[in-house]
Amino acid sequence: MEIKDLKALVELDEKTRADVEKAHALKSNLKKAISDEKQKIADETWKQIKVLVEKKKQELDDSVRHDELENREEFETAALKLKNTFEANKDKWCDDIYERCLH
């Protein structure tokens, strides 16, 4: 081999090494870009999920408050009805109990 051929071989080797380094750098940059994009998508998704969860939580809280009010009203109505029934019948019931105990 002549010096000219060796020089060409060295130049080709240097060019090939540079091309390989560029390919590795591109691969590394692409991996980082993919990783960054995955993280961005994950962050956006979690943000959307948190908004949906907060909205659902608020809906459930409102529903619980509404149900609590309805239940309280039903309880108070039933308690008042029971109290009125007792007040209207207590003397009769006491007399009935008294009569049954004696006979």
Side-chain angles (χ1 to χ4, degrees), residues 75-86:
F75 171 78
E76 289 174 0
T77 300
L80 182 60
K81 182 178 177 184
L82 184 61
K83 181 180 177 187
N84 290 339
T85 301
F86 177 77

Side-chain angles (χ1 to χ4, degrees), residues 25-63:
L26 179 61
K27 179 181 172 185
S28 178
N29 290 341
L30 288 174
K31 279 186 174 182
K32 183 172 180 346
I34 289 170
S35 177
D36 291 347
E37 187 65 21
K38 280 173 67 175
Q39 187 62 47
K40 179 182 171 189
I41 290 169
D43 291 345
E44 289 174 3
T45 301
W46 278 113
K47 185 177 177 182
Q48 291 172 354
I49 289 171
K50 286 178 183 178
V51 168
L52 291 174
V53 166
E54 192 59 38
K55 181 180 177 184
K56 188 64 174 179
K57 181 183 179 290
Q58 187 61 43
E59 288 174 5
L60 291 173
D61 287 347
D62 292 345
S63 175

